[in-house]
Amino acid sequence: MSRYWSDIVDRLTPYVPGEQPAFAHPVKLNTNENPYAPSPRVCEAIAQELGSHGDSLRRYPDPTARKLRETVAAHHGIHADQVFVGNGSDEVLAHVFQALLKHDKPLLFPDITYSFYPTYARLYEVRVETLPLDDQFAIRIDDYLARANQNGGVLFPNPNAPTGRALPLAEIERMLDVNTESVVVVDEAYVDFGAQSAVALIDRYPNLLVVHTASKARSLAGMRVGFAFGHPALIEALNRVKDSFNSYPLDRLAQAAATAAYEDDAYFRATCAKVITSREQLTEGLEALGFDVIPSKANFVFARHPKHDAAALAAALREKEIIVRHFRQPRIEQHLRITVGTDDECRQLLDGLRAILE
Ligand SMILES: *Cc1c(COP(=O)(O)O)cnc(C)c1O
């Protein structure tokens, strides 16, 4: 606290990102990064963009990221004017809070969800009403329907984080058919690992915004590239905020890298398939050790052991330089969120846990 701070800074509760440990070779399963490198075309595209002396870096990047938006639009079968890009989907979500959520009615989101949402709500002074997941940790759409058109917006990840549970598209449509007065934001950070995407619905529902990221399924967390897909009027609102904040959110290398990643569909599909296979094996391995594992459609699993304290397990794993995520939060303090790594990393995790449990 300092007398030079603005009024709001003192009231913020900043998001705490997962640790980036200083160990030389940690088994790092705490921030849902992809265990595989991006498509080889990504490095070629970055080298090409740089040129021999990095001459291109003298120039500002395309403020509209036109080529990237066109590439991603083609991938999804939509138009470039239905695509917004930002510096990671966290930035996209921040602009959504400012551009599209009403402040006179509460924003609805689940009690257990991505912890950046309450952080943004405080930053942008958006009122919030959290709706509890059911006892299987599933989102209950009926609770949202009960508040349809009496909210300032609806926001949830699908699959949800940190549970990994996915909603069928029909459930999301059931809400969109009724809740027509506010924006419904579906954060699909993990959708490519087995859930159904709502992108195909944006032509039918002018209040649907779908948020994607290149950080997870495209292996580009280090490049910071995120997207929103929706009606051109929603995209225009986001651009108005963006151009009042930072006209160049994506640098030249990020635009080149992400474009190349979306052009290599075969690599993307193969990587997702590998992660999905490893996730099923990891789930079986954890269950064999006595864990309860929520069925996951993401690149992580959410698990608890009925006889072992989650914080103690996370600490014991850390001693072995195996890093998983533990949240000190009501309802989930006995759970661990474990990113699906390579098969070798998953084996090291299971071996580590076996040794600790014995
Ligand atoms: C990882 C994640 C994001 C943020 O992704 P970036 O594009 O890296 O900012 C957004 N939403 C959810 C639910 C996530 O898990």
Side-chain angles (χ1 to χ4, degrees):
M1 175 66 173
S2 152
R3 67 194 171 100
Y4 302 115
W5 284 12
S6 73
D7 292 340
I8 192 168
V9 166
D10 190 37
R11 281 183 274 126
L12 297 179
T13 317
Y15 177 77
V16 183
E19 179 189 4
Q20 297 291 347
F23 308 131
H25 300 289
V27 176
K28 191 174 173 305
L29 305 176
N30 67 330
T31 52
N32 299 342
E33 290 145 333
N34 202 302
Y36 303 107
S39 158
R41 293 202 206 164
V42 165
C43 286
E44 290 165 22
I46 290 173
Q48 196 178 356
E49 176 63 35
L50 267 176
S52 53
H53 298 92
D55 191 54
S56 72
L57 298 184
R58 290 187 301 115
R59 306 269 187 217
Y60 282 105
D62 174 5
T64 70
R66 190 181 51 82
K67 180 153 189 245
L68 174 58
R69 283 187 302 113
E70 284 172 354
T71 303
V72 174
H75 174 78
H76 289 301
I78 59 176
H79 296 288
D81 66 354
Q82 295 171 302
V83 180
F84 176 79
V85 294
N87 192 263
S89 60
D90 287 338
E91 184 184 83
V92 174
L93 287 164
H95 291 342
V96 169
F97 270 72
Q98 211 166 26
L100 296 170
L101 301 178
K102 299 288 164 38
H103 290 210
D104 55 340
K105 291 180 187 151
L107 166 68
L108 308 180
F109 59 72
D111 64 337
I112 308 295
T113 195
Y114 187 38
S115 48
F116 231 128
Y117 302 161
T119 299
Y120 287 136
R122 279 183 294 266
L123 177 61
Y124 293 109
E125 303 186 292
V126 168
R127 268 202 295 147
V128 165
E129 185 179 344
T130 57
L131 303 182
L133 301 182
D134 71 13
D135 52 11
Q136 302 297 307
F137 280 171
I139 291 174
R140 281 190 302 223
I141 288 296
D142 286 332
D143 293 348
Y144 293 80
L145 289 179
R147 288 160 182 77
N149 302 321
Q150 300 159 32
N151 59 72
V154 175
L155 167 61
F156 54 84
N158 192 40
N160 196 10
T163 65
R165 235 190 226 292
L167 273 179
L169 206 51
E171 284 292 279
I172 294 172
E173 278 192 83
R174 208 154 67 84
M175 172 152 55
L176 288 164
D177 283 331
V178 178
N179 191 85
T180 54
E181 299 301 307
S182 66
V183 172
V184 174
V185 184
V186 184
D187 179 351
E188 295 188 338
Y190 303 102
V191 75
D192 298 310
F193 301 107
Q196 294 174 291
S197 175
V199 171
L201 301 180
I202 62 170
D203 280 330
R204 276 170 45 209
Y205 298 100
N207 61 329
L208 169 63
L209 192 80
V210 181
V211 176
H212 279 196
T213 176
S215 297
K216 313 283 167 54
R218 306 278 170 176
S219 308
L220 289 178
M223 275 289 171
R224 315 305 304 128
V225 181
F227 305 91
F229 308 113
H231 189 282
L234 303 185
I235 301 307
E236 186 188 344
L238 294 170
N239 277 317
R240 288 173 70 92
V241 169
K242 169 212 157 230
D243 286 324
S244 306
F245 176 78
N246 176 5
S247 300
Y248 306 102
L250 258 68
D251 64 57
R252 286 177 171 275
L253 306 186
Q255 291 187 34
T259 302
Y262 278 84
E263 282 169 349
D264 196 349
D265 206 47
Y267 184 90
F268 158 70
R269 285 172 195 276
T271 310
C272 290
K274 274 201 279 190
V275 170
I276 290 168
T277 303
S278 303
R279 176 184 73 211
E280 301 313 313
Q281 286 167 3
L282 176 62
T283 301
E284 281 172 30
L286 287 167
E287 285 173 347
L289 292 175
F291 282 86
D292 299 324
V293 186
I294 295 178
S296 171
K297 295 287 185 198
N299 69 337
F300 59 84
V301 296
F302 204 48
R304 70 188 290 272
H305 198 290
K307 300 203 188 88
H308 293 269
D309 179 64
L313 285 177
L317 284 170
R318 199 174 186 288
E319 296 280 302
K320 298 176 183 294
E321 305 193 358
I322 301 169
I323 317 293
V324 299
R325 193 88 193 257
H326 173 248
F327 299 93
R328 287 182 201 284
Q329 191 190 324
R331 289 192 79 187
I332 57 169
E333 67 232 334
Q334 286 309 324
H335 281 79
L336 295 175
R337 194 195 66 190
I338 304 168
T339 305
V340 178
T342 60
D343 285 337
D344 188 51
E345 289 172 321
C346 292
R347 189 186 46 72
Q348 290 186 62
L349 170 86
L350 292 170
D351 289 348
L353 282 170
R354 196 172 298 112
I356 292 162
L357 297 180
E358 265 161 16

